[in-house]
Amino acid sequence: MARITPNYNLTVPDSSDFADITPIGRNMEAIDAALAKKADIDESGMVPKDQIPALEYVAATEKGKANGVASLDVKGRVPKAQLPTAWLQPQIIVTNAADADVTATGDAGVIAGVGGDTKTLSLPDYGSWVITAAKSDREAVPKTVLVDTVKQYQTVLTWFAATISVVAPANATVIATSGNHQYSATADAKGKAELVVRYGGTYEVAYYTGSVGCIPVSVTVVHGQTHRVNLVSMSGE
């Protein structure tokens, strides 16, 4: 008894069947129709170009090449090597920077800010950049900006300020010194004095009454905090 093939429904006669030309004809027509839907393979094992429909694609030989198209990295970004030099300019826009010298320091060097109240820093590369700024009488709290694409990054300067609250003899002159930075105040009748410092660091705090002074007490100041120093008991906190 004849059977039917599962893929193209061809009739396969059994050895006990009588010869019949009709199934053979149907088989040939089915084979011809099926082959017409299949691509050929040339001598190199590839489909001939004239059998490939028009496609929208980018050839591998054109990716990342001159007059071709840009490729993308694992983060979906155009690699820096494929960007024109003029485009390699991520920027950090710094506000609250009037009368300040602003710089960005990273692996690619030190970049100076340009502008007035708002400073623009055009960076030559990605990476972690530390923003610092200084005026004639104060410095800003350093800020770190992670630059990982070509865009403008916004940051606002915060100017350093910390208070050293001192207990000293009444009317004594209190001085806090850190490198070239020095602040002084006169203790009131209760022996209290407050010094607002505008630079971070470790300060040596002492008092003087005439020619008599005390052993300095060291205090490391932190932005926004009040640090208490008791010079009468010669201890600091």
Side-chain angles (χ1 to χ4, degrees), residues 163-237:
T163 300
I164 303 176
S165 182
V166 182
V167 175
N171 304 314
T173 299
V174 178
I175 299 176
T177 305
S178 177
N180 295 327
H181 309 303
Q182 188 175 83
Y183 299 88
S184 64
T186 300
D188 61 18
K190 295 182 179 180
K192 294 182 179 181
E194 287 195 347
L195 300 93
V196 177
V197 300
R198 301 294 184 177
Y199 295 87
T202 298
Y203 285 79
E204 298 296 319
V205 185
Y207 74 81
Y208 297 89
T209 55
S211 60
V212 179
C214 70
I215 299 174
V217 173
S218 296
V219 57
T220 300
V221 299
V222 177
H223 170 67
Q225 294 190 11
T226 296
H227 305 272
R228 305 185 186 282
V229 177
N230 191 331
L231 296 178
V232 174
S233 63
M234 302 308 298
S235 64
E237 55 175 308

Side-chain angles (χ1 to χ4, degrees), residues 66-193:
N67 298 319
V69 297
S71 58
L72 300 178
D73 62 18
V74 294
K75 294 184 178 180
R77 305 176 306 189
V78 177
K80 290 180 291 183
Q82 295 179 32
L83 291 173
T85 302
W87 288 9
L88 275 177
Q89 294 293 314
Q91 293 181 329
I92 299 178
I93 307 300
V94 182
T95 56
N96 194 27
D99 303 320
D101 295 324
V102 180
T103 58
T105 303
D107 291 338
V110 179
I111 307 301
V114 177
D117 292 354
T118 298
K119 298 292 194 298
T120 299
L121 300 102
S122 296
L123 309 175
D125 205 347
Y126 302 151
S128 181
W129 292 85
V130 178
I131 310 302
T132 55
K135 297 185 181 183
S136 59
D137 62 345
R138 68 190 62 193
E139 67 181 7
V141 179
K143 289 194 173 183
T144 300
V145 179
L146 179 61
V147 176
D148 61 0
T149 189
V150 179
K151 71 174 188 179
Q152 288 186 331
Y153 296 79
Q154 306 285 334
T155 189
V156 181
L157 290 181
T158 300
W159 292 98
F160 190 94
T163 300
I164 303 176
S165 182
V166 182
V167 175
N171 304 314
T173 299
V174 178
I175 299 176
T177 305
S178 177
N180 295 327
H181 309 303
Q182 188 175 83
Y183 299 88
S184 64
T186 300
D188 61 18
K190 295 182 179 180
K192 294 182 179 181

